[in-house]
Amino acid sequence: MAPLAAAGLHHWNQSEENEKIGLIAVTFDQRNHGSRELDPLSNEAWRSGNERHAQDMFSTYHGTSTDTSLLITHLSSYVFSSSDRQIDTNIVLGVSLGGHAAWQCLFHDPRVSAAVIVIGCPDYFSLMSDRARLSKLPSWTHSSPPGTHFLGSRDFPLGLIKAVENFDPAGMLLGRPDRPLRVFDGQAPSAIEQTRLLPMLQQSLQGKRILNLSGDADKLVPYRCGQAFIEWLSLSVAPGSWFAGGVLLENLIFDRVGHQMSPDMVISAIRFVADTLHEKVAAPTAKI
């Protein structure tokens, strides 16, 4: 992430607006990764012998999302300990697990006004159900039809289901895979559903900017696992839709790109960050 942060800083510092709004880039390791690794097995999948793969993965990046919010709370007091400058715009960018975490930051921290999600997924139920199917877990195969009893099994316990419903974007808004909203037909939700969803979307996404970058050849985090939710969200926030909310959602899928951040993705991410800052230039209170 450090090279990407450096590239983003360099790009912004070449613009004329950088004297009006400064940019600080902060990078850190995901929980239990890199310098923060404590238990290597917790980072492995079912196929590699980690029986708690679903719990470990979700709790790891949920924790990283929490870490990001803590960092936002305290960063200004360290960076500007002897200055009246303030940080008033927070943009998160994450890749892979960091992309999953970025989705949660976007939905749960009102101070985050924009997010760049790279090869991340907003639908944990869908992602892990797909992995359980491909891994041929008994909790998936030993039912008719297959997968009927996966959610609620020891591979995806009830406690995890509740956590996903509380913190995962698709889990929060659409519920479990057997809920009616999961059948996306391109239509707006019913009036009853809109009444439930409207305050959630207003609190989570009002006025925010989102760039979602995916590779069409990604086998680890396939775009298809989040596709239904992203299409549903795109329809919901489109101008003139039932919830416009001033949300910008840009969804880009890159041909022949696997589970990696391609050079074109880097360009798109840097451009999006710059565009977000350009919008802040005219704001009289904008500092950082």
Side-chain angles (χ1 to χ4, degrees), residues 130-143:
D130 190 60
R131 289 191 181 180
R133 176 184 63 83
L134 293 174
S135 298
K136 296 182 172 59
L137 295 182
S139 59
W140 184 270
T141 60
H142 293 177
S143 62

Side-chain angles (χ1 to χ4, degrees), residues 58-78:
F58 192 81
S59 62
T60 293
Y61 73 78
H62 178 204
T64 299
S65 172
T66 302
D67 291 343
T68 304
S69 291
L70 287 171
L71 182 61
I72 290 172
T73 297
H74 297 290
L75 181 63
S76 183
S77 67
Y78 283 89

Side-chain angles (χ1 to χ4, degrees), residues 48-283:
S48 299
N50 181 12
E51 296 181 353
R52 300 183 306 181
H53 173 45
Q55 301 96 305
D56 285 341
M57 181 170 157
F58 192 81
S59 62
T60 293
Y61 73 78
H62 178 204
T64 299
S65 172
T66 302
D67 291 343
T68 304
S69 291
L70 287 171
L71 182 61
I72 290 172
T73 297
H74 297 290
L75 181 63
S76 183
S77 67
Y78 283 89
V79 176
F80 300 121
S81 58
S82 58
S83 170
D84 61 355
R85 290 179 179 271
Q86 296 291 320
I87 298 174
D88 72 350
T89 301
N90 297 285
I91 306 169
V92 296
L93 187 156
V95 180
S96 191
L97 278 180
H100 306 335
W103 273 113
Q104 290 198 9
C105 291
L106 183 74
F107 268 75
H108 295 284
D109 195 324
R111 299 167 298 178
V112 173
S113 58
V116 180
I117 297 106
V118 186
I119 53 176
C121 184
D123 190 344
Y124 200 65
F125 284 136
S126 177
L127 178 63
M128 299 313 285
S129 294
D130 190 60
R131 289 191 181 180
R133 176 184 63 83
L134 293 174
S135 298
K136 296 182 172 59
L137 295 182
S139 59
W140 184 270
T141 60
H142 293 177
S143 62
S144 182
T148 305
H149 303 307
F150 170 64
L151 296 182
S153 71
R154 65 176 297 174
D155 294 317
F156 207 109
L158 289 176
L160 180 57
I161 291 175
K162 292 181 178 180
V164 172
E165 289 178 324
N166 286 331
F167 297 104
D168 178 73
M172 288 170 53
L173 298 177
L174 304 186
R176 304 181 192 186
D178 60 349
R179 297 297 191 263
L181 271 178
R182 286 287 183 163
V183 182
F184 179 65
D185 58 3
Q187 302 299 313
S190 67
I192 294 176
E193 285 292 350
Q194 289 184 31
T195 300
R196 178 183 70 86
L197 291 166
L198 187 59
M200 298 173 66
L201 286 171
Q202 288 174 331
Q203 182 176 3
S204 299
L205 294 183
Q206 187 84 31
K208 296 189 177 185
R209 295 167 53 87
I210 311 166
L211 174 62
N212 187 65
L213 305 176
S214 306
D216 71 347
D218 191 339
K219 295 182 179 180
L220 185 62
V221 183
Y223 175 69
R224 67 175 183 276
C225 291
Q227 182 175 0
F229 174 77
I230 292 171
E231 291 180 353
W232 177 88
L233 187 62
S234 297
L235 174 67
S236 298
V237 304
S241 185
W242 69 273
F243 175 72
V247 178
L248 170 69
L249 173 53
E250 188 175 349
N251 183 41
L252 302 179
I253 307 167
F254 294 80
D255 294 337
R256 298 183 297 277
V257 173
H259 194 68
Q260 61 183 7
M261 188 174 189
S262 69
D264 286 340
M265 288 180 174
V266 171
I267 293 171
S268 295
I270 292 174
R271 181 263 309 163
F272 183 84
V273 170
D275 288 347
T276 301
L277 294 176
H278 285 310
E279 286 200 349
K280 295 291 295 184
V281 169

